[in-house]
Amino acid sequence: MTPDPSARRAVLAATGLFTPSESISNEELVESFNAWVDVWNEAHAGEIAAGTAEPKAHSSAPFIEKASGIKSRFVMDKAGILDVDRMRPRLPRRADDELNVLAEMGVAACRDALARAGRTAADVDAVIVACSNLQRAYPAVAVEIQDALGVEGWGFDMNVACSSATFGLQVAVDMISNGSADAILVVNPEICTAHLNFRDRDSHFIFGDVATAMLVERGDRAHAGRGAWDILGARIQTRFSNNIRNNAGFLNRTEGTFAELAARTADPETDLLFRQEGRRVFKDVVPMVAKMIVGHMEELGLGVDDVRRLWLHQANLNMNRLIANKVLGRDAEPEEAPVILDRYANTSSAGSVIAFHRHHEDLAAGQVGLLCSFGAGYSAGTVFLRRR
Ligand code: COA
């Protein structure tokens, strides 16, 4: 008998979520930022009076909510971020034989996904960690997660910034279709607060921490009745831009001393963290993503009315409204494009997966939704899912 080629077609069996126990409201974040501004302005009062330094301006909670839709964010270490003398999370380095923090978050998300799919580690062949920032160069965090879960097989790390989850999904789908594996966990652990400059008024409110996981498996192996999702199609795209950039990397060590680096860079500390031209990102990425979604829908023969839900990347509420409007030709109803960034902020690659995780149960068999990411690179990914 000829094997059915569609048998290997991958499905999304389940997602998992790890949410940190601590959170910071806009008000708490702004209070800490403004206290730091006051200290800074006082310390530089002479230069400000002489006109050689600009006074720093206060941040504002109403501005943050209006500009981004963010009200609060979950974080791995609240005290370190809000400490005016520090303003960065305190996440001490663990011993090499302890599970590292990124892997620990990833393992929790994987266990959640496995439980929801009715699977154990024995059913999984591979782990792909796809996220914006990796804790170390090697060994791969994915291999550490593989070991902690007890998965036989292999793992590797990949990074496409905010689009890492959809790119990871595309890789998993291709590998399953081609016979490299039968079941793959795609994991997105994001400690965004450790690459955020909490002293930058334009961006100090943007990010939060979280981890998500997606179990992708052969369609003919998926448990009936567990609500798996057919992956109708995945598309990925990149276009080089410096408008979102982070220069942290191992070659910085070869730049010489910190003082030598400082002599060349206005603010070396800031240069090694996230920075962006937010307005330009907005202008460039909205049309790029809307065009990509519409093109992919046409390719799959899907009309606007066929797509019941948009699980969009969660960076900015206004951006998501505009993308939904361009795709649908009207404003989206709240349930059509669910928002999670109000509580989670931008969680980089994990954002669209959290939106899916929290807002998919009500879709019926046969209904279609879109998982969509976009961000640094620029990068964008679209994955159409149909409930089984
Ligand atoms: N509190 C109060 N006011 C602030 C502020 C803060 N924290 N930050 C900036 N402002 C002020 C600015 O000084 C500026 O004042 P001005 O008009 O008097 O010059 C005004 O608010 C507008 O600032 P701007 O930075 O242009 O805001 P914005 O409306 O573009 O919103 C972002 C900023 C970052 C929320 C928005 O550009 C964005 O989300 N862009 C897309 C980002 C994105 O998706 N990035 C992907 C990351 S992965």
Side-chain angles (χ1 to χ4, degrees), residues 255-341:
E255 292 274 347
T257 63
F258 195 73
E260 282 164 343
L261 182 62
R264 281 197 304 279
T265 315
D267 183 349
E269 187 167 12
T270 303
D271 189 50
L272 303 181
L273 295 167
F274 165 90
R275 60 181 155 82
Q276 73 167 351
E277 297 292 334
R279 290 238 161 155
R280 290 179 63 189
V281 172
F282 205 110
K283 276 198 191 131
D284 293 345
V285 171
V286 168
M288 172 180 161
V289 172
K291 189 172 165 212
M292 189 172 168
I293 296 173
V294 171
H296 197 179
M297 278 167 61
E298 280 171 11
E299 222 178 281
L300 293 171
L302 293 169
V304 165
D305 296 338
D306 298 324
V307 181
R308 303 302 288 256
R309 195 140 301 168
L310 303 172
W311 298 289
L312 298 178
H313 172 48
Q314 307 275 317
N316 179 291
L317 185 57
N318 301 322
M319 211 168 171
N320 284 16
R321 282 192 180 131
L322 208 53
I323 290 172
N325 183 292
K326 279 181 185 289
V327 171
L328 302 175
R330 57 172 170 81
D331 289 341
E333 296 298 328
E335 66 277 8
E336 284 179 302
V339 175
I340 59 93
L341 63 74

Coordinates of all heavy atoms in Angstrom, one line a residue, residues 255-341:
E255 N 36.7 44.4 21.8 CA 36.8 45.9 21.6 C 37.8 46.6 22.5 O 38.0 47.8 22.4 CB 35.4 46.5 21.9 CG 34.3 46.0 20.9 CD 34.3 46.9 19.6 OE1 35.0 48.0 19.7 OE2 33.7 46.5 18.6
G256 N 38.3 45.8 23.5 CA 39.2 46.5 24.5 C 38.4 46.7 25.8 O 37.4 46.0 26.0
T257 N 38.9 47.6 26.6 CA 38.2 47.8 27.9 C 36.9 48.5 27.7 O 36.6 49.1 26.7 CB 39.1 48.6 28.8 OG1 39.2 49.9 28.2 CG2 40.5 48.0 29.0
F258 N 36.1 48.5 28.8 CA 34.8 49.2 28.8 C 35.1 50.7 28.5 O 34.3 51.3 27.8 CB 34.1 49.0 30.1 CG 32.7 49.3 30.1 CD1 31.8 48.5 29.5 CD2 32.2 50.5 30.8 CE1 30.4 48.9 29.5 CE2 30.9 50.8 30.8 CZ 30.0 50.0 30.1
A259 N 36.2 51.2 29.1 CA 36.5 52.6 28.9 C 36.8 52.9 27.5 O 36.4 53.9 26.9 CB 37.7 53.0 29.8
E260 N 37.5 52.0 26.8 CA 37.8 52.2 25.4 C 36.6 52.1 24.5 O 36.4 52.9 23.6 CB 38.8 51.1 24.9 CG 40.3 51.4 25.4 CD 41.2 50.2 25.3 OE1 40.7 49.1 25.2 OE2 42.4 50.4 25.4
L261 N 35.7 51.2 24.9 CA 34.4 51.2 24.2 C 33.6 52.5 24.4 O 33.0 53.0 23.4 CB 33.6 49.9 24.7 CG 32.3 49.6 24.0 CD1 32.4 49.3 22.5 CD2 31.6 48.4 24.7
A262 N 33.7 52.9 25.6 CA 32.9 54.2 26.0 C 33.4 55.4 25.2 O 32.7 56.3 24.8 CB 33.1 54.4 27.5
A263 N 34.7 55.3 24.8 CA 35.3 56.5 24.1 C 34.7 56.5 22.7 O 34.7 57.6 22.1 CB 36.8 56.3 24.0
R264 N 34.3 55.4 22.2 CA 33.7 55.4 20.8 C 32.2 55.4 20.7 O 31.6 55.8 19.7 CB 34.2 54.1 20.1 CG 35.6 54.1 19.6 CD 35.9 53.0 18.6 NE 35.6 51.7 19.1 CZ 36.4 51.0 19.9 NH1 37.5 51.5 20.2 NH2 36.1 49.8 20.3
T265 N 31.6 55.0 21.8 CA 30.1 54.9 21.8 C 29.5 55.9 22.9 O 30.1 56.0 24.0 CB 29.7 53.5 22.2 OG1 30.5 52.6 21.5 CG2 28.2 53.2 22.0
A266 N 28.5 56.6 22.5 CA 27.9 57.6 23.4 C 27.6 57.0 24.8 O 27.9 57.6 25.8 CB 26.7 58.2 22.8
D267 N 26.9 55.8 24.7 CA 26.6 55.2 26.0 C 26.7 53.7 25.8 O 25.8 53.0 25.3 CB 25.1 55.6 26.3 CG 24.7 55.0 27.7 OD1 25.4 54.1 28.2 OD2 23.6 55.3 28.2
P268 N 27.9 53.1 26.2 CA 28.1 51.7 25.9 C 27.1 50.8 26.5 O 26.8 49.8 26.0 CB 29.5 51.5 26.4 CG 29.8 52.6 27.3 CD 29.0 53.8 26.9
E269 N 26.6 51.2 27.7 CA 25.7 50.3 28.4 C 24.4 50.2 27.5 O 23.9 49.1 27.3 CB 25.4 50.8 29.8 CG 24.6 49.8 30.5 CD 24.5 50.1 32.0 OE1 24.9 51.2 32.4 OE2 24.0 49.3 32.7
T270 N 23.9 51.4 27.1 CA 22.7 51.4 26.3 C 22.9 50.7 25.0 O 22.0 50.0 24.5 CB 22.4 52.9 26.0 OG1 22.2 53.5 27.2 CG2 21.1 53.0 25.2
D271 N 24.1 50.8 24.4 CA 24.4 50.2 23.1 C 24.3 48.7 23.2 O 24.0 48.0 22.2 CB 25.8 50.6 22.6 CG 26.1 50.2 21.2 OD1 25.2 50.5 20.4 OD2 27.1 49.5 21.0
L272 N 24.5 48.1 24.3 CA 24.5 46.6 24.5 C 23.1 46.1 25.0 O 23.0 45.0 25.4 CB 25.6 46.2 25.4 CG 27.0 46.6 25.0 CD1 28.1 46.1 25.9 CD2 27.3 46.2 23.5
L273 N 22.1 47.0 24.9 CA 20.7 46.6 25.2 C 19.8 46.9 24.0 O 20.3 47.4 23.0 CB 20.3 47.4 26.5 CG 21.0 47.2 27.8 CD1 20.7 48.2 28.8 CD2 20.7 45.8 28.3
F274 N 18.5 46.6 24.2 CA 17.6 46.9 23.2 C 17.4 48.4 22.9 O 17.4 49.2 23.8 CB 16.2 46.3 23.6 CG 15.0 46.8 22.9 CD1 14.6 46.1 21.7 CD2 14.4 48.0 23.2 CE1 13.5 46.6 21.0 CE2 13.3 48.5 22.5 CZ 12.8 47.8 21.4
R275 N 17.4 48.7 21.6 CA 17.0 50.1 21.3 C 16.3 50.1 20.0 O 16.4 49.1 19.2 CB 18.2 51.0 21.2 CG 19.3 50.6 20.1 CD 20.4 51.6 20.2 NE 21.7 51.1 19.7 CZ 22.0 51.0 18.4 NH1 21.2 51.5 17.5 NH2 23.2 50.5 18.1
Q276 N 15.4 51.1 19.8 CA 14.6 51.1 18.5 C 14.2 52.5 18.2 O 14.2 53.4 19.0 CB 13.3 50.3 18.7 CG 12.3 50.9 19.6 CD 10.9 50.3 19.6 OE1 10.7 49.4 18.8 NE2 10.1 50.7 20.5
E277 N 13.9 52.6 16.9 CA 13.3 53.9 16.4 C 11.8 53.5 16.2 O 11.3 53.0 15.2 CB 13.8 54.2 15.0 CG 15.3 54.5 14.9 CD 15.6 55.8 15.6 OE1 14.7 56.7 15.7 OE2 16.7 56.0 16.1
G278 N 11.1 53.6 17.4 CA 9.7 53.1 17.5 C 8.8 53.6 16.4 O 8.0 52.7 15.8
R279 N 8.8 54.8 16.1 CA 7.9 55.4 15.0 C 8.2 54.8 13.6 O 7.3 54.5 12.9 CB 8.1 56.9 14.9 CG 7.5 57.6 16.2 CD 6.4 58.5 15.8 NE 5.6 58.8 16.9 CZ 4.9 59.9 17.1 NH1 4.9 60.8 16.1 NH2 4.2 60.1 18.1
R280 N 9.5 54.6 13.3 CA 9.9 54.1 12.0 C 9.5 52.6 12.0 O 9.1 52.1 10.9 CB 11.4 54.3 11.8 CG 11.7 55.8 11.5 CD 13.1 56.1 11.3 NE 13.6 55.5 10.1 CZ 14.9 55.4 9.8 NH1 15.8 56.0 10.6 NH2 15.3 54.9 8.7
V281 N 9.7 51.9 13.1 CA 9.3 50.5 13.1 C 7.8 50.4 12.8 O 7.4 49.6 11.9 CB 9.6 49.9 14.5 CG1 9.0 48.5 14.6 CG2 11.1 49.8 14.8
F282 N 7.0 51.2 13.5 CA 5.6 51.2 13.2 C 5.3 51.4 11.8 O 4.5 50.6 11.2 CB 5.1 52.4 14.0 CG 3.6 52.3 14.4 CD1 3.3 52.1 15.8 CD2 2.6 52.4 13.5 CE1 2.0 52.0 16.2 CE2 1.3 52.3 13.9 CZ 1.0 52.1 15.2
K283 N 5.9 52.4 11.1 CA 5.6 52.8 9.7 C 6.0 51.7 8.8 O 5.4 51.4 7.8 CB 6.3 54.1 9.4 CG 5.5 55.3 9.8 CD 6.0 56.5 9.0 CE 5.4 57.8 9.6 NZ 6.4 58.8 9.9
D284 N 7.2 51.1 9.0 CA 7.7 50.1 8.1 C 7.0 48.7 8.2 O 6.7 48.0 7.3 CB 9.2 49.8 8.4 CG 10.1 51.0 8.0 OD1 9.6 51.9 7.4 OD2 11.2 51.0 8.5
V285 N 6.7 48.3 9.5 CA 6.3 47.0 9.7 C 4.8 46.7 9.5 O 4.4 45.7 9.0 CB 6.8 46.5 11.2 CG1 6.2 45.2 11.5 CG2 8.3 46.4 11.3
V286 N 4.0 47.7 9.8 CA 2.6 47.5 9.6 C 2.2 47.2 8.1 O 1.6 46.1 7.9 CB 1.7 48.8 10.1 CG1 0.3 48.7 9.6 CG2 1.8 48.9 11.6
P287 N 2.7 48.0 7.1 CA 2.3 47.6 5.8 C 3.0 46.3 5.3 O 2.4 45.5 4.6 CB 2.8 48.7 4.9 CG 3.7 49.6 5.8 CD 3.4 49.3 7.2
M288 N 4.2 46.0 5.8 CA 4.9 44.8 5.4 C 4.1 43.6 5.9 O 3.9 42.6 5.2 CB 6.3 44.8 6.1 CG 7.1 43.5 6.0 SD 8.7 43.7 6.8 CE 9.2 42.0 7.0
V289 N 3.6 43.6 7.2 CA 2.9 42.5 7.7 C 1.5 42.3 7.1 O 1.1 41.2 6.8 CB 2.9 42.6 9.3 CG1 2.0 41.5 9.9 CG2 4.3 42.5 9.9
A290 N 0.8 43.4 6.9 CA -0.5 43.4 6.4 C -0.5 42.7 5.0 O -1.3 41.9 4.6 CB -1.1 44.8 6.3
K291 N 0.5 43.2 4.2 CA 0.7 42.6 2.8 C 1.0 41.1 2.9 O 0.4 40.4 2.1 CB 1.8 43.4 2.1 CG 1.9 43.1 0.7 CD 3.0 44.0 0.0 CE 3.3 43.5 -1.4 NZ 4.7 43.7 -1.7
M292 N 1.8 40.8 3.8 CA 2.2 39.4 3.9 C 1.0 38.5 4.3 O 0.8 37.4 3.7 CB 3.3 39.2 4.9 CG 3.9 37.9 5.0 SD 5.3 38.0 6.1 CE 5.7 36.2 6.3
I293 N 0.2 39.0 5.2 CA -1.0 38.2 5.6 C -2.0 38.0 4.5 O -2.4 36.9 4.2 CB -1.7 38.9 6.8 CG1 -0.8 38.9 8.1 CG2 -3.0 38.2 7.1 CD1 -1.4 39.7 9.2
V294 N -2.2 39.2 3.8 CA -3.2 39.1 2.7 C -2.7 38.2 1.6 O -3.5 37.4 1.0 CB -3.5 40.6 2.2 CG1 -4.3 40.5 0.9 CG2 -4.2 41.4 3.2
G295 N -1.4 38.3 1.2 CA -0.8 37.4 0.2 C -0.9 36.0 0.6 O -1.3 35.1 -0.3
H296 N -0.7 35.7 1.8 CA -0.7 34.3 2.3 C -2.1 33.7 2.3 O -2.4 32.6 1.9 CB -0.1 34.2 3.7 CG 0.3 32.8 4.1 ND1 0.9 32.5 5.3 CD2 0.2 31.6 3.4 CE1 1.2 31.2 5.3 NE2 0.7 30.6 4.2
M297 N -3.1 34.6 2.7 CA -4.5 34.2 2.6 C -4.9 33.8 1.2 O -5.5 32.8 0.9 CB -5.4 35.3 3.2 CG -5.5 35.3 4.7 SD -6.2 36.9 5.3 CE -7.8 36.8 4.6
E298 N -4.5 34.7 0.2 CA -4.9 34.4 -1.2 C -4.3 33.1 -1.6 O -4.9 32.3 -2.3 CB -4.3 35.6 -2.1 CG -5.2 36.8 -2.0 CD -4.6 38.0 -2.7 OE1 -3.6 37.9 -3.4 OE2 -5.2 39.1 -2.5
E299 N -3.0 32.9 -1.3 CA -2.3 31.7 -1.7 C -3.1 30.4 -1.2 O -3.1 29.4 -1.8 CB -0.9 31.7 -1.0 CG 0.2 31.3 -1.9 CD 1.5 31.5 -1.1 OE1 1.9 32.6 -1.0 OE2 1.9 30.4 -0.5
L300 N -3.6 30.5 0.0 CA -4.3 29.4 0.6 C -5.8 29.3 0.2 O -6.5 28.5 0.7 CB -4.2 29.4 2.2 CG -2.8 29.2 2.7 CD1 -2.7 29.5 4.2 CD2 -2.3 27.8 2.5
G301 N -6.2 30.3 -0.6 CA -7.6 30.4 -1.0 C -8.5 30.7 0.2 O -9.7 30.3 0.2
L302 N -8.0 31.5 1.1 CA -8.9 31.9 2.2 C -9.4 33.3 2.0 O -8.6 34.2 1.7 CB -8.1 31.9 3.5 CG -7.6 30.5 4.0 CD1 -6.6 30.7 5.2 CD2 -8.8 29.7 4.5
G303 N -10.7 33.5 2.3 CA -11.2 34.9 2.3 C -11.2 35.5 3.7 O -11.0 34.7 4.6
V304 N -11.4 36.8 3.7 CA -11.4 37.5 5.1 C -12.4 36.8 6.0 O -12.1 36.6 7.2 CB -11.8 38.9 4.9 CG1 -12.1 39.6 6.2 CG2 -10.6 39.7 4.2
D305 N -13.6 36.4 5.5 CA -14.6 35.8 6.4 C -14.2 34.4 6.9 O -14.8 33.8 7.8 CB -15.9 35.7 5.7 CG -16.4 37.1 5.4 OD1 -16.0 38.1 6.1 OD2 -17.3 37.3 4.5
D306 N -13.2 33.8 6.2 CA -12.8 32.4 6.6 C -11.9 32.5 7.8 O -11.6 31.4 8.5 CB -12.0 31.7 5.5 CG -12.9 31.5 4.3 OD1 -14.0 31.3 4.4 OD2 -12.3 31.7 3.1
V307 N -11.3 33.6 8.1 CA -10.3 33.7 9.2 C -11.0 34.3 10.5 O -11.3 35.5 10.5 CB -9.1 34.6 8.8 CG1 -8.0 34.6 9.9 CG2 -8.4 34.0 7.5
R308 N -11.2 33.4 11.5 CA -12.0 33.8 12.6 C -11.2 34.5 13.7 O -11.7 35.2 14.5 CB -12.6 32.6 13.3 CG -13.5 31.8 12.3 CD -14.6 32.7 11.7 NE -15.6 33.0 12.7 CZ -16.8 32.4 12.7 NH1 -17.1 31.5 11.8 NH2 -17.6 32.7 13.7
R309 N -9.8 34.3 13.7 CA -9.1 34.9 14.8 C -7.7 35.3 14.3 O -7.0 34.6 13.5 CB -8.9 33.9 15.9 CG -8.5 34.6 17.2 CD -9.2 34.1 18.4 NE -10.6 34.3 18.4 CZ -11.5 33.7 19.2 NH1 -11.0 32.9 20.1 NH2 -12.7 33.9 19.1
L310 N -7.2 36.5 14.8 CA -5.8 36.9 14.5 C -5.1 36.9 15.8 O -5.3 37.8 16.7 CB -5.9 38.3 13.9 CG -6.7 38.5 12.6 CD1 -6.8 40.0 12.3 CD2 -6.1 37.8 11.5
W311 N -4.2 35.9 16.0 CA -3.3 35.9 17.2 C -2.0 36.6 16.8 O -1.0 36.0 16.3 CB -3.0 34.5 17.6 CG -4.2 33.7 18.0 CD1 -5.0 33.8 19.1 CD2 -4.8 32.6 17.3 NE1 -6.0 32.9 19.1 CE2 -5.9 32.1 18.0 CE3 -4.5 31.9 16.1 CZ2 -6.7 31.0 17.6 CZ3 -5.3 30.9 15.6 CH2 -6.4 30.4 16.4
L312 N -2.0 37.9 17.0 CA -0.9 38.8 16.5 C 0.2 38.9 17.5 O -0.1 38.8 18.7 CB -1.4 40.2 16.1 CG -2.5 40.2 15.0 CD1 -2.9 41.7 14.8 CD2 -2.0 39.6 13.7
H313 N 1.4 39.2 17.0 CA 2.5 39.6 17.9 C 2.0 40.7 18.8 O 1.3 41.6 18.3 CB 3.7 40.0 17.0 CG 4.8 40.6 17.8 ND1 5.3 40.0 19.0 CD2 5.5 41.7 17.7 CE1 6.3 40.7 19.5 NE2 6.4 41.8 18.7
Q314 N 2.5 40.7 20.0 CA 2.0 41.7 21.0 C 3.1 42.7 21.3 O 3.8 42.5 22.3 CB 1.4 41.0 22.2 CG 0.4 39.9 21.9 CD -1.0 40.4 21.8 OE1 -1.4 41.3 22.6 NE2 -1.7 39.9 20.8
A315 N 3.2 43.8 20.5 CA 4.2 44.8 20.8 C 3.5 46.1 21.1 O 3.9 46.8 22.0 CB 5.2 45.0 19.6
N316 N 2.5 46.4 20.4 CA 1.8 47.7 20.5 C 0.4 47.6 20.0 O 0.1 47.1 18.9 CB 2.6 48.7 19.6 CG 2.0 50.1 19.7 OD1 0.9 50.3 19.2 ND2 2.7 51.0 20.3
L317 N -0.5 48.0 20.9 CA -2.0 47.9 20.6 C -2.4 48.6 19.3 O -3.1 48.1 18.5 CB -2.8 48.4 21.8 CG -4.3 48.1 21.7 CD1 -4.6 46.7 21.5 CD2 -4.9 48.7 23.0
N318 N -1.8 49.8 19.1 CA -2.2 50.6 17.9 C -1.8 49.9 16.7 O -2.4 49.9 15.6 CB -1.7 52.0 18.0 CG -2.2 52.7 19.3 OD1 -3.3 52.5 19.7 ND2 -1.3 53.5 19.9
M319 N -0.6 49.4 16.7 CA 0.0 48.6 15.6 C -0.9 47.4 15.2 O -1.2 47.2 14.1 CB 1.4 48.1 16.0 CG 2.4 48.0 15.0 SD 4.0 47.8 15.8 CE 4.9 47.4 14.4
N320 N -1.3 46.7 16.2 CA -2.2 45.5 16.0 C -3.5 45.9 15.4 O -4.1 45.3 14.5 CB -2.4 44.7 17.3 CG -1.1 43.9 17.6 OD1 -0.1 44.2 17.1 ND2 -1.3 42.9 18.5
R321 N -4.1 47.0 15.9 CA -5.4 47.5 15.4 C -5.3 47.9 13.9 O -6.1 47.5 13.1 CB -5.8 48.8 16.2 CG -6.4 48.4 17.5 CD -7.1 49.7 18.1 NE -7.6 49.3 19.4 CZ -7.4 50.1 20.5 NH1 -6.7 51.2 20.5 NH2 -8.0 49.7 21.7
L322 N -4.1 48.5 13.6 CA -3.9 48.9 12.2 C -3.8 47.7 11.3 O -4.3 47.7 10.2 CB -2.7 49.9 12.1 CG -2.7 50.9 11.1 CD1 -3.9 51.8 11.1 CD2 -1.4 51.8 11.2
I323 N -3.0 46.8 11.7 CA -2.8 45.6 10.9 C -4.1 44.8 10.7 O -4.5 44.5 9.6 CB -1.7 44.6 11.5 CG1 -0.3 45.3 11.5 CG2 -1.7 43.2 10.9 CD1 0.8 44.5 12.2
A324 N -4.9 44.7 11.8 CA -6.2 44.0 11.7 C -7.1 44.7 10.7 O -7.7 44.1 9.9 CB -6.8 43.8 13.1
N325 N -7.1 46.0 10.8 CA -7.9 46.8 10.0 C -7.5 46.7 8.5 O -8.4 46.6 7.6 CB -7.8 48.3 10.4 CG -8.8 49.2 9.6 OD1 -8.6 49.4 8.4 ND2 -9.8 49.7 10.2
K326 N -6.2 46.7 8.2 CA -5.8 46.5 6.8 C -6.1 45.2 6.3 O -6.4 45.0 5.1 CB -4.3 46.7 6.7 CG -3.8 48.2 6.7 CD -2.3 48.3 6.6 CE -1.8 49.7 6.7 NZ -2.1 50.6 5.6
V327 N -6.1 44.2 7.1 CA -6.4 42.8 6.6 C -7.9 42.6 6.5 O -8.4 42.0 5.5 CB -5.8 41.8 7.6 CG1 -6.3 40.3 7.3 CG2 -4.3 41.8 7.6
L328 N -8.7 43.1 7.5 CA -10.1 42.8 7.5 C -10.9 43.8 6.7 O -12.1 43.6 6.3 CB -10.7 42.8 8.9 CG -10.0 41.8 9.9 CD1 -10.6 41.9 11.3 CD2 -10.3 40.3 9.4
G329 N -10.3 45.0 6.4 CA -11.0 46.1 5.8 C -12.0 46.8 6.7 O -12.9 47.5 6.3
R330 N -11.9 46.6 8.0 CA -12.7 47.2 9.0 C -12.0 47.0 10.4 O -11.0 46.2 10.4 CB -14.1 46.5 9.1 CG -14.0 45.0 9.3 CD -15.4 44.4 9.6 NE -15.2 42.9 9.5 CZ -14.8 42.2 10.5 NH1 -14.5 42.8 11.7 NH2 -14.7 40.9 10.4
D331 N -12.5 47.6 11.4 CA -11.9 47.4 12.7 C -12.2 46.0 13.2 O -13.3 45.5 12.9 CB -12.4 48.4 13.8 CG -11.9 49.8 13.5 OD1 -10.8 49.9 12.8 OD2 -12.5 50.8 14.0
A332 N -11.3 45.3 13.9 CA -11.5 44.0 14.4 C -12.3 44.1 15.7 O -12.2 45.0 16.5 CB -10.2 43.3 14.7
E333 N -13.2 43.1 15.9 CA -14.0 43.0 17.1 C -12.9 42.5 18.2 O -12.0 41.8 17.8 CB -15.1 42.0 17.0 CG -16.2 42.4 16.1 CD -16.9 43.7 16.5 OE1 -17.0 43.9 17.7 OE2 -17.3 44.4 15.6
P334 N -13.1 42.9 19.5 CA -12.1 42.5 20.4 C -11.8 41.0 20.4 O -10.6 40.6 20.5 CB -12.7 42.9 21.8 CG -13.7 44.0 21.5 CD -14.1 43.7 20.1
E335 N -12.8 40.2 20.2 CA -12.5 38.7 20.3 C -11.9 38.2 19.0 O -11.3 37.1 19.0 CB -13.8 37.9 20.5 CG -14.9 37.9 19.5 CD -15.8 39.2 19.6 OE1 -15.5 40.1 20.4 OE2 -16.8 39.2 18.8
E336 N -11.9 39.0 17.9 CA -11.2 38.6 16.7 C -9.7 38.7 16.7 O -9.0 38.0 16.1 CB -11.7 39.4 15.5 CG -13.1 39.1 15.0 CD -13.6 40.0 13.9 OE1 -13.6 41.2 14.0 OE2 -13.9 39.4 12.8
A337 N -9.2 39.7 17.5 CA -7.8 40.0 17.6 C -7.5 40.1 19.1 O -7.3 41.3 19.5 CB -7.4 41.2 16.8
P338 N -7.4 39.0 19.8 CA -7.2 39.1 21.2 C -6.0 39.8 21.7 O -4.9 39.7 21.0 CB -7.2 37.7 21.7 CG -7.2 36.8 20.5 CD -7.4 37.6 19.3
V339 N -6.1 40.6 22.8 CA -5.0 41.4 23.3 C -4.5 40.8 24.6 O -5.3 40.5 25.5 CB -5.5 42.8 23.6 CG1 -4.4 43.7 24.2 CG2 -5.9 43.5 22.3
I340 N -3.2 40.5 24.7 CA -2.7 40.1 26.0 C -1.6 41.0 26.5 O -1.1 40.9 27.6 CB -2.2 38.6 26.0 CG1 -1.1 38.4 24.9 CG2 -3.3 37.6 25.7 CD1 0.3 38.6 25.4
L341 N -1.2 42.0 25.6 CA -0.1 42.8 26.0 C -0.5 43.8 27.1 O 0.4 44.4 27.7 CB 0.5 43.6 24.8 CG -0.3 44.5 24.0 CD1 -0.5 45.9 24.6 CD2 0.5 44.8 22.7

